Amino acid sequence: MSDAHTNLKKVRDGGYCVGCGACALPGGPGGKMRMTPYGEYEPDLAATVSPSQLEKACPFLAPELDEDRLAETFLDGREQSSRELGYYNSISAAHVEEAEWRANGSSGGMVSWLAAELLRTGQIDGVIHARPVSPAPPGGPFYTYGISRTVDDVATAAHSHYHVVEMSGVLEEVLETPGRYLFIGVPCFVKAIRRLQTLDPRLNERIAFTIGLVCGHLKSVNWSLSLGWGAGVPPEELAAIRFREKGEDIPAKSYHFAVRARGSDDFLVHDAASIAGGRFNTGAMMLRACDFCDDVVGETADLTVGDAWLPEYQFDWRGKNMVVIRSAHLEALIQAAFNAGRLSLTPLSARQAADAQSGGFRHRREGLAYRLEGKKARGEWHPAKRSFKVRPPSPLRRLIYTLRQEVSLISREAFVRARSAGNFEVYAGSVRRAMQRLRFAELVSAAPRILSVRIRHVLSKDRRS
């Protein structure tokens, strides 16, 4: 076995693989991906070829191609920088004013609007993004990467998709079909695309723009199945799932999902917090690799979009995006739309943008340093990561990071047992027990911050009135 194969095996077997599919791209490294019983993608190493390119394709290997180096190589919007956001030209809180993009999106509608705008104006021929599988095969997956070539196609894939995908198949289509494309993905996927662009001139030419999605972590297919099962739809009967439902009685930060059973045309809406393991940030069935990523905001993307979780916006059920622009071309396009009254933009500072995703940065910087310390102390192999100056976490924060990992691992195993037993309570009981201590520790840690946010929200309402 080559050194590259050995290192990729370390990534896969050590729990550092996000299943992106970069190492399985035909015509590049080559190979194929497979779905595990845990509802996660991983490479079939026996089928993988071109070992000399494997390490450069994998986002967790070849540290010389880290986010900083790739950003310097690909981005023209590097007027400013911060340790949380990387390079950027401008940052805004934004939403779409025209049509139904905001109403039909999970937040402010900016991702789908921009994709449609690039298509409408002929600047791209297709949008590479996660799309719903209809009908989903029994047991999932419910979303796969595909290419939208019309504005209507883009609209059907709106919303956030907390669901694993892999991109080897769709990139094969890009290699076979010349044109200009927009790629949309979470930070590690955009990083993998950038690496593939350094390896294949066709991808470098054809992927004209990239949009990064602010990412807390990836969820397995099994998480989708668990939400459906907790809502009364067993895994084999779940036909479709949507992860972010809107409504005047649903605050922006309250995650409601909708599921549809096979043979039914109706979606049933539920509060994710009412389902065992349903609270997104507790980490149930999170990919293990996500605990070893330090890029929250897609630092290698031309533009990044996430939720503007700031006091003045987080209670607005209509949704508000945070937009970080690193492309002079996209900045001009967005500014022109704002001047025409098609978009709403409010400038944000880098500090405000970091505050809007403060939980993610704590987990990916402070928490990552703590987890890497543990790996080193136990003599376990881990990918090389960038170094950030962070204060050592308090004993309470260390406990929270440890308990989150426990919830992730326990939920992962418990759901497989529950499916084998045909009994949801096998999973739910295990997760509830694992979460009890975590929820208590998080509440103790977050109490001062929650009180501060609510006070600031009340004060901001008074200033607006």
Side-chain angles (χ1 to χ4, degrees):
M1 181 178 288
S2 70
D3 289 343
H5 276 99
T6 299
N7 287 337
L8 200 69
K9 190 173 187 298
K10 288 180 181 178
V11 169
R12 187 194 68 182
D13 296 348
Y16 305 109
C17 179
V18 294
C20 67
C23 65
L25 175 63
K32 63 181 180 179
M33 302 296 290
R34 63 191 180 196
M35 179 73 71
T36 74
Y38 298 107
E40 303 165 1
Y41 286 107
E42 68 175 21
D44 180 354
L45 298 182
T48 306
V49 297
S50 303
S52 63
Q53 297 187 40
L54 282 178
E55 295 201 35
K56 290 184 178 179
C58 176
F60 279 86
L61 292 174
E64 70 275 11
L65 290 175
D66 65 13
E67 289 82 356
D68 297 335
R69 179 62 61 83
L70 293 169
E72 291 168 359
T73 301
F74 286 98
L75 302 179
D76 64 15
R78 305 201 306 272
E79 294 179 0
Q80 304 178 73
S81 67
S82 81
R83 66 174 189 167
E84 291 91 0
L85 309 178
Y87 292 111
Y88 65 92
N89 274 8
S90 65
I91 312 166
S92 299
H95 68 259
V96 183
E97 294 279 13
E98 66 180 358
E100 299 299 314
W101 294 109
R102 187 186 193 190
N104 293 334
S106 59
S107 189
M110 287 294 295
V111 174
S112 295
W113 176 87
L114 182 55
E117 184 71 3
L118 291 171
L119 269 176
R120 186 186 67 81
T121 56
Q123 298 181 59
I124 57 173
D125 302 295
V127 180
I128 306 166
H129 59 161
R131 297 183 50 81
V133 176
S134 182
F142 300 94
Y143 293 87
T144 63
Y145 258 112
I147 299 178
S148 291
R149 298 185 182 274
T150 69
V151 170
D152 287 344
D153 285 344
V154 169
T156 63
H159 283 277
S160 298
H161 309 316
Y162 304 124
H163 185 288
V164 291
V165 286
E166 67 91 10
M167 58 188 180
S168 62
V170 77
L171 292 183
E172 182 178 10
E173 183 178 348
V174 171
L175 291 173
E176 293 173 349
T177 312
R180 287 169 59 83
Y181 297 89
L182 162 68
F183 179 87
I184 301 173
V186 294
C188 57
F189 277 57
V190 178
K191 179 182 179 182
I193 285 292
R194 293 306 199 191
R195 286 169 170 243
L196 290 173
Q197 286 180 297
T198 69
L199 298 174
D200 195 317
R202 294 169 296 174
L203 291 178
N204 190 39
E205 176 187 358
R206 294 175 188 179
I207 298 180
F209 304 102
T210 57
I211 293 179
L213 306 172
V214 172
C215 181
H217 58 267
L218 285 171
K219 296 287 195 184
S220 70
V221 173
N222 286 358
W223 190 66
S224 301
L225 297 176
S226 75
L227 292 178
W229 207 355
V233 183
E236 291 71 24
E237 296 179 21
L238 185 61
I241 182 168
R242 299 194 302 249
F243 296 98
R244 292 276 292 274
E245 293 295 293
K246 281 185 175 179
E248 292 188 32
D249 58 340
I250 303 175
K253 292 201 75 169
S254 179
Y255 285 30
H256 282 56
F257 68 97
V259 292
R260 179 173 62 81
R262 295 186 180 280
S264 173
D265 295 326
D266 299 324
F267 275 88
L268 304 176
V269 178
H270 293 264
D271 183 352
S274 68
I275 307 296
R279 290 182 182 272
F280 181 87
N281 61 0
T282 56
M285 284 185 277
M286 172 183 74
L287 297 198
R288 292 173 293 167
C290 296
D291 263 340
F292 295 90
C293 171
D294 57 42
D295 185 0
V296 177
V297 294
E299 296 173 44
T300 67
D302 295 310
L303 179 144
T304 294
V305 180
D307 288 287
W309 296 136
L310 292 168
E312 55 267 45
Y313 304 125
Q314 65 183 13
F315 293 96
D316 185 348
W317 67 271
R318 296 169 298 177
K320 195 80 165 183
N321 286 129
M322 177 186 76
V323 181
V324 182
I325 303 178
R326 308 183 187 88
S327 158
H329 179 83
L330 295 181
E331 185 170 35
L333 183 155
I334 287 173
Q335 187 62 45
F338 168 71
N339 293 339
R342 303 170 64 198
L343 303 176
S344 169
L345 300 178
T346 302
L348 294 178
S349 68
R351 183 70 266 151
Q352 286 175 301
D355 287 346
Q357 298 293 333
S358 58
F361 283 113
R362 278 194 303 274
H363 191 78
R364 300 289 185 90
R365 300 293 170 82
E366 179 187 87
L368 173 60
Y370 172 66
R371 289 185 288 276
L372 289 176
E373 278 185 14
K375 290 286 183 180
K376 293 173 185 175
R378 294 187 295 273
E380 298 175 2
W381 182 89
H382 62 81
K385 305 303 299 181
R386 294 180 294 173
S387 178
F388 297 93
K389 291 183 179 179
V390 294
R391 289 180 295 181
S394 68
L396 179 58
R397 292 303 308 175
R398 291 198 296 269
L399 175 62
I400 288 172
Y401 297 135
T402 299
L403 293 175
R404 282 180 182 169
Q405 284 189 304
E406 288 183 7
V407 169
S408 176
L409 294 173
I410 288 171
S411 62
R412 187 171 180 262
E413 298 291 341
F415 190 78
V416 172
R417 295 198 306 271
R419 287 201 70 184
S420 178
N423 183 356
F424 180 69
E425 280 303 313
V426 171
Y427 166 77
S430 296
V431 170
R432 291 190 190 105
R433 288 190 294 273
M435 287 179 57
Q436 283 178 347
R437 284 206 304 157
L438 173 61
R439 291 300 298 156
F440 179 75
E442 287 181 331
L443 287 172
V444 172
S445 175
R449 180 169 47 86
I450 292 171
L451 181 60
S452 174
V453 167
R454 293 192 178 278
I455 291 173
R456 289 161 61 188
H457 175 61
V458 170
L459 292 176
S460 65
K461 283 177 65 178
D462 290 342
R463 284 194 294 268
R464 291 195 300 267
S465 61

